[in-house]
Amino acid sequence: MTRHTANRRFLFLQGPHGPFFDRLGKMLTAAGARNWRVGFNRGDQAFWSNRTSYIPYTDTADAWPARIAALLHEHAVTDLVLYGDTRPIHAQAIAAARTRGITIHVFEEGYLRPYWITYERGGANGHSRLMTTGVDQMRLALQGLDLDLPDTPAKWGDMRQHVFYGAAYHWLVLTANHAYRGFQPHRALSVRQEFHLYLKRLALMPYYWFDRVRATYAIKSGGFPYHLALLQLAHDASFTQHGPFKTMAEFLEVLIRGFADGAPTHHHLVFKTHPLEDGRTPIRADIRRLAHRYGVADRVHYVRGGKLAHLLNDARSAVTVNSTAAQQALWRGLPLKAFGQAVYLKPEFVSDQSLGAFFRNPTRPDSRAYRDYRHYLLETSQITGSYYSARGRRQLLRQVVDMILDDRDPYEALNSGQPAPRQHLTAVR
């Protein structure tokens, strides 16, 4: 069911780096809706092509709650569109929108990445409806449906485009942001520091590749059982807002201490960093220091990004705070220990053992229950495509525009027996 599109008035806030929100706005305009985009810096402005519908926000952060309330009223906004729901400007906008009954569309990276993105209403990650939906409820909604579940892809996807758009965005903010005097980044680092980290990552990609290949070869040829620690970006909202640790070093210490106390002495522990890890957190140095402190330095390994499948296929178990990469471990039937809030944190999948007991003898997940859970996500919030590659954006827009215009969110649509049409995975490879 879709309300008359001519009555829909969309307000976009910050989106993924690159042109995805611009393309989405154009598609909604073609459908008969009206759109505006609030930009907070030169990077936001550069990736919105319609100057007449662009609203620059140049005031301070303190003035934003009053300004967003005024914008929602002045433009009679019916729909709010944003990427991520925890950065302060988005959280404040969501609060204002809720008081007015405005539909909130939240985009995020895919829970089943890399060839899917996440689209939900009201909230994502720890604020998702999935947090309170049990497997039995999912099975009830899936009755009568059938789906040949695609395998988990072995590669991240459009990494080069992701890094390129991030570097371009921060370059624009660094060099051409004079009109946005009140802009404050939502992360602790300055824009200059962020940009330098992007440049460093681009420049060092050949070295990182060599270091990753060397470390992976040593692990795969070692012949020892190993447990895989799936690390996240320490500044990512999932880690900071939906996890129990204040710092990455705190999580690393808990993990290495638990491994030293519980794992058999011939087992090893492998730390794999996030593909976008940029060195702002001294993860490698902290791992080395803590491994020496707990007497396991010869059994702890560090791998910089790369293909997760190469390590998961031979792993004994996986441990994380709440990384979405854990879904690939569950798909393979690996035991999983998670510490934070996550949409997959269901008793059927995630071990409730103490960390020492988990490393000694981890309990396996209910793979049949996980397949039903995965089926449910693919019928609802997981949309084939990507934000950063041109082909991925085209694939994504073919599906998500109609889902946005539907009165029902993806979960309600499935409950009604009319889920959104799915596209085949191989179209974005």
Side-chain angles (χ1 to χ4, degrees):
M1 297 184 296
T2 303
R3 283 173 280 165
H4 197 280
T5 310
N7 297 327
R8 303 290 288 274
R9 303 166 75 88
F10 290 83
L11 182 67
F12 287 75
L13 298 186
Q14 290 191 301
H17 296 151
F20 171 67
F21 265 17
D22 183 62
R23 302 292 189 271
L24 177 58
K26 287 179 178 178
M27 193 74 76
L28 290 169
T29 298
R34 294 195 64 185
N35 304 287
W36 294 267
R37 168 77 184 269
V38 179
F40 300 84
N41 57 56
R42 188 64 178 83
D44 292 339
Q45 182 179 337
F47 290 112
W48 187 261
S49 59
N50 187 341
R51 299 277 75 88
T52 62
S53 63
Y54 180 76
I55 304 169
Y57 182 76
T58 59
D59 212 335
T60 63
D62 291 343
W64 172 243
R67 181 60 175 146
I68 183 59
L71 287 172
L72 296 174
H73 175 73
E74 291 167 12
H75 295 287
V77 171
T78 61
D79 297 80
L80 183 68
V81 186
L82 37 78
Y83 172 73
D85 61 355
T86 59
R87 63 185 68 176
I89 56 173
H90 286 178
Q92 291 163 351
I94 289 171
R98 281 182 176 145
T99 65
R100 293 163 174 78
I102 292 170
T103 302
I104 300 160
H105 306 269
V106 181
F107 286 90
E108 254 294 1
E109 299 296 338
Y111 297 145
L112 302 177
R113 64 179 65 174
Y115 289 118
W116 294 271
I117 65 92
T118 296
Y119 165 68
E120 296 186 274
R121 297 194 185 171
N125 292 312
H127 301 141
S128 168
R129 281 181 55 170
L130 292 169
M131 297 296 297
T132 56
T133 306
V135 174
D136 287 343
Q137 294 172 278
M138 296 178 183
R139 284 170 166 160
L140 184 63
L142 289 169
Q143 284 184 346
L145 294 177
D146 190 22
L147 177 67
D148 184 15
L149 295 179
D151 200 359
T152 302
K155 59 187 289 188
W156 174 267
D158 44 13
M159 176 59 67
R160 286 172 295 181
Q161 295 96 323
H162 195 154
V163 174
F164 169 78
Y165 282 124
Y169 181 92
H170 286 92
W171 169 250
L172 288 166
V173 177
L174 181 63
T175 62
N177 216 46
H178 55 274
Y180 297 87
R181 300 297 184 187
F183 172 70
Q184 294 179 337
H186 65 280
R187 291 172 177 159
L189 294 187
S190 69
V191 175
R192 182 179 297 276
Q193 290 171 314
E194 290 267 5
F195 176 67
H196 285 166
L197 287 171
Y198 272 103
L199 283 185
K200 178 181 177 183
R201 178 168 181 79
L202 285 170
L204 292 178
M205 274 187 171
Y207 166 74
Y208 291 161
W209 173 85
F210 176 78
D211 184 63
R212 179 169 62 246
V213 169
R214 179 197 57 77
T216 302
Y217 176 78
I219 294 163
K220 292 182 71 67
S221 63
F224 44 75
Y226 63 86
H227 307 266
L228 188 60
L230 305 172
L231 299 184
Q232 298 160 252
L233 299 175
H235 57 274
D236 187 80
S238 293
F239 185 88
T240 61
Q241 302 293 322
H242 303 300
F245 302 105
K246 294 180 180 179
T247 66
M248 180 62 71
E250 183 182 340
F251 170 59
L252 296 176
E253 180 160 15
V254 168
L255 202 54
I256 292 174
R257 184 175 62 237
F259 174 76
D261 290 343
T265 56
H266 64 291
H267 283 208
H268 288 228
L269 178 61
V270 176
F271 288 90
K272 183 191 177 297
T273 67
H274 190 280
L276 291 174
E277 180 58 51
D278 55 19
R280 72 183 65 187
T281 305
I283 293 176
R284 192 170 204 163
D286 286 340
I287 290 173
R288 186 180 295 116
R289 171 178 55 83
L290 292 165
H292 278 285
R293 176 186 298 176
Y294 290 101
V296 292
D298 59 338
R299 296 194 287 136
V300 171
H301 308 262
Y302 174 91
V303 179
R304 193 190 301 270
K307 295 181 180 181
L308 182 57
H310 288 335
L311 295 171
L312 271 178
N313 288 339
D314 295 319
R316 181 65 57 89
S317 72
V319 186
T320 187
V321 175
N322 51 15
S323 172
T324 56
Q327 302 260 15
Q328 294 195 37
L330 290 171
W331 177 247
R332 288 165 170 81
L334 290 179
L336 176 67
K337 179 71 177 177
F339 289 86
Q341 292 180 298
V343 295
Y344 55 79
L345 201 68
K346 310 295 182 186
E348 293 89 347
F349 319 144
V350 180
S351 173
D352 62 357
Q353 297 169 281
S354 68
L355 192 54
F358 180 82
F359 280 128
R360 277 192 299 275
N361 187 24
T363 57
R364 296 176 58 182
D366 181 341
S367 294
R368 183 172 298 176
Y370 179 71
R371 288 182 67 87
D372 291 336
Y373 163 87
R374 182 178 169 85
H375 186 166
Y376 184 81
L377 263 62
L378 290 171
E379 291 283 9
T380 53
S381 63
Q382 301 306 289
I383 316 301
T384 311
S386 70
Y387 301 121
Y388 307 106
S389 70
R391 176 185 280 186
R393 284 192 296 272
R394 291 193 297 268
Q395 187 72 5
L396 178 53
L397 290 168
R398 290 187 184 106
Q399 303 168 83
V400 80
V401 174
D402 287 337
M403 296 175 70
I404 289 174
L405 293 173
D406 197 318
D407 283 347
R408 304 157 304 178
D409 76 12
Y411 305 114
E412 292 167 349
L414 180 60
N415 290 337
S416 71
Q418 296 178 321
R422 303 283 94 176
Q423 296 291 328
H424 196 272
L425 172 70
T426 55
V428 296
R429 287 184 184 253

